[in-house]
Amino acid sequence: MMNAKIILINEKKEILLLHREDKPGIGSPNKWSFVGGVVEIGEAPEEAIVRETKEEIGYDVKELSLFRVYNDPEIQRYVYIGKIDKKLSELRLTEGDNMGFFTIKNALKMTLSKNTRRYIQDYFYQQKFKN
C-alpha cells in the first residue's frame, strides 16, 4: 500500500494543515494533518498527490518535488513539498472541518497526527541545516 502527502508552503513560509473531523472510522480523527491520501492502483504517487490536493482543497499544484519516502512495515509514504500561492479564502475545503496556514513553530504545538509531526520535524531539521 502507498500513501502520498504534501507539505504546501506559502510565500510567508507557513505550512497548510487540515483538521480531520472527529468521526469513527477515519484515520487520525480530530487531529491536524497534511493534504493527501492513498495512492490508487495504477497511479503514480505524484499523480495521487496532485489529485488529492485538487479533491481536498480545490487547488492545482503547479510546483512540487519529492521530499522523502518513508518505508514503514505496512505502507510506503511519499511526502512532497509544494508551493501554494492562494489565500485560505480562495481554497475550497472538502475533507475535514477546518484548515489554516501555520508557522512550523506553531504547528508543532498543535494536536497533529503522528506522521504529520514526523514530517514537519524532518522538514524543519533539513531546512535548518540547508543554509
Side-chain angles (χ1 to χ4, degrees):
M1 180 181 245
M2 291 188 292
N3 179 291
K5 295 284 184 180
I6 189 165
I7 301 172
L8 288 167
I9 305 167
N10 67 13
E11 70 283 346
K12 296 178 187 176
K13 305 277 187 229
E14 297 168 318
I15 56 177
L16 180 70
L17 293 172
L18 309 184
H19 188 261
R20 299 184 54 82
E21 296 167 305
D22 193 7
K23 287 184 181 176
I26 67 166
S28 301
N30 203 30
K31 294 188 177 172
W32 291 88
S33 183
F34 291 115
V35 171
V38 174
V39 178
E40 295 176 357
I41 294 170
E43 188 177 45
E46 188 171 317
E47 294 170 324
I49 202 56
V50 169
R51 175 185 51 77
E52 289 282 348
T53 305
K54 181 72 170 176
E55 288 175 5
E56 292 183 17
I57 61 170
Y59 181 68
D60 291 311
V61 179
K62 295 165 193 73
E63 292 181 49
L64 71 128
S65 60
L66 182 63
F67 167 60
R68 188 169 291 170
V69 178
Y70 295 85
N71 290 301
D72 295 333
E74 303 282 325
I75 189 167
Q76 242 186 343
R77 302 174 190 277
Y78 290 79
V79 180
Y80 292 88
I81 303 291
K83 293 182 181 178
I84 187 164
D85 59 0
K86 301 283 184 187
K87 296 177 184 169
L88 281 180
S89 60
E90 298 174 287
L91 301 174
R92 185 185 75 252
L93 181 65
T94 62
E95 288 190 26
D97 57 16
N98 200 357
M99 67 178 160
F101 286 107
F102 304 94
T103 64
I104 290 173
K105 184 178 178 179
N106 286 336
L108 288 171
K109 295 176 186 174
M110 299 166 65
T111 305
L112 304 169
S113 74
K114 180 179 81 171
N115 287 315
T116 299
R117 181 168 302 282
R118 176 182 177 191
Y119 306 152
I120 291 172
Q121 289 171 333
D122 288 351
Y123 176 73
F124 177 73
Y125 183 80
Q126 177 178 306
Q127 293 306 302
K128 186 175 177 181
F129 292 101
K130 201 175 193 179
N131 299 328

